[in-house]
Amino acid sequence: MSYMKPKLPKSRVVEEIDRNLKQVFDSIANEPMPDRFAELLDRLKTGDTSVAKGTTDDNEDK
C-alpha cells in the first residue's frame, strides 16, 4: 500500500518562486570566477600549500 500523496499542480506563487530562483542561480553561475579562486585553483594544481602568496609552510623553515 502506498501512502504517497498525489502530486498537486504547482500554484502560481510556487511557479513564480521557481522562476525567480532559477534566474538568480543562472545569473550567478554565469558570472566570471573571481581571480582569488582562479589563483587558489592554480596553486592547488601545482601543489603550492602556502597560506598566503609569498609565504611558505612552517615545515620548510625547520
Side-chain angles (χ1 to χ4, degrees):
M1 222 180 211
S2 176
Y3 294 102
M4 292 179 57
K5 294 181 183 178
K7 267 193 168 178
L8 300 175
K10 288 185 179 181
S11 72
R12 293 172 76 185
V13 172
V14 172
E15 289 175 354
E16 184 68 21
I17 291 171
D18 285 350
R19 274 194 299 274
N20 288 333
L21 286 173
K22 184 178 182 335
Q23 183 180 9
V24 169
F25 178 81
D26 288 344
S27 69
I28 291 170
N30 290 324
E31 288 181 4
M33 183 186 310
D35 290 340
R36 66 177 188 235
F37 289 163
E39 290 170 5
L40 176 60
L41 288 172
D42 288 341
R43 288 176 39 213
L44 290 170
K45 287 177 187 175
T46 61
D48 181 1
T49 58
S50 60
V51 175
K53 200 173 194 176
T55 64
T56 59
D57 288 341
D58 291 335
N59 294 337
E60 292 179 9
D61 294 335
K62 294 179 180 178

